[in-house]
Each structure stands twice: as structure tokens, then as C-alpha cells.
Amino acid sequence: MLSLQTLLSFSDQLNDAEHQEMIAKRIAVDQYASQLLVRLDFVKKMPRLEAPDVFDPEVQPNVNLVAEYLDHQLQNPELIRHYEKSCFESDQLLAEIGCCYEILNHRLSIPINPPKNCRHRLYYIPIQDKTAEQTA
């Protein structure tokens, strides 16, 4: 079975042509993966699908887990399987991870050209004096 990250990168066409073709062949023979790709495309475009409530402590997985997963920093294979299973079972989570993945990869591929004076302005942002705040 293909991982969710593999399906996301395939969906966004982020792989080289050879790897993309290899994944396409595997998807063609794996009915579950092909259905999941169709579902992923569908849930990402659902206008009335609400995002998970990130401030609810009962919501699992939490935003840090999602960030680690998207950044390929999640090292525990059991946790990865559990997270992917949660995404496969929930339209909300599947749409969230699909949209976040798409946004991050498209945004990170665009070079950022800040204005030349931006660095100077950022270095000289006034820092409030903590002692002045405490006496007020």
C-alpha cells in the first residue's frame, strides 16, 4: 500500500517523471489507492466541509503532529500509520492534510523576494522595555 505522503506528492505532481510513472503504475493496480486519490480530490474541493477545531483538546491529531508529518519529521512508524489511518477515515482530516500539503509545496516553490529595506526595518523594530511594562 502506498503512503499518504506518496499519494499527496503524486497528486501534486512533485516527483520526477520516472518516479511519477512508477507511482501511477502502482496506483493502477491498487484499487484502494486509486479510490483514495479520487476521494482526496473530492474532499479538497468540498466548500461546506469544516476544518477540525484546533483549539479543542479532544481533537486528534493535534496541529504539531500534522506539522511534523508534513515536514517529514515524524519518525515513529506506528504514529505515522495511526495518523494516516485517521486521515483515511475522516474527510475533515484528509481534506486538511491534502490542502496543507498543496499550499506548502506550492508556496515553498516560489522564491521570496522581500524589499531591500525589509531586513533593516526588521532589525530596528522597537523592543518594549519589560521594566516599563511592569511599573505601569
Side-chain angles (χ1 to χ4, degrees):
M1 182 175 156
L2 296 170
S3 72
L4 180 56
Q5 287 178 335
T6 302
L7 293 174
L8 290 168
S9 67
F10 175 80
S11 176
D12 288 344
Q13 299 177 351
L14 297 175
N15 306 306
D16 57 42
E18 184 180 319
H19 195 208
Q20 197 77 354
E21 186 178 322
M22 181 191 71
I23 296 170
K25 287 179 183 176
R26 289 186 64 188
I27 290 171
V29 296
D30 186 349
Q31 185 179 6
Y32 183 74
S34 61
Q35 288 174 347
L36 190 59
L37 268 178
V38 170
R39 184 169 154 237
L40 176 64
D41 224 23
F42 178 74
V43 296
K44 286 187 342 186
K45 295 174 185 171
M46 288 178 69
R48 302 219 189 280
L49 187 64
E50 294 181 4
D53 183 6
V54 294
F55 296 111
D56 183 359
E58 299 297 317
V59 171
Q60 291 298 325
N62 67 32
V63 293
N64 292 326
L65 183 69
V66 175
E68 288 176 14
Y69 180 81
L70 286 171
D71 203 26
H72 302 279
Q73 298 301 313
L74 207 52
Q75 301 298 320
N76 184 339
E78 186 60 35
L79 197 53
I80 292 171
R81 277 193 294 279
H82 177 72
Y83 177 67
E84 288 185 348
K85 183 177 184 260
S86 298
C87 289
F88 295 153
E89 293 171 351
S90 166
D91 284 348
Q92 277 185 322
L93 293 177
L94 187 61
E96 178 187 39
I97 196 73
C99 290
C100 288
Y101 190 87
E102 184 178 327
I103 290 167
L104 286 173
N105 284 303
H106 288 291
R107 182 64 196 133
L108 293 177
S109 66
I110 300 170
I112 299 171
N113 297 314
K116 293 183 190 245
N117 67 347
C118 183
R119 183 177 187 166
H120 178 75
R121 289 187 336 207
L122 289 174
Y123 277 123
Y124 294 102
I125 292 175
I127 300 172
Q128 292 181 343
D129 186 8
K130 292 190 187 246
T131 56
E133 286 180 6
Q134 291 173 351
T135 58

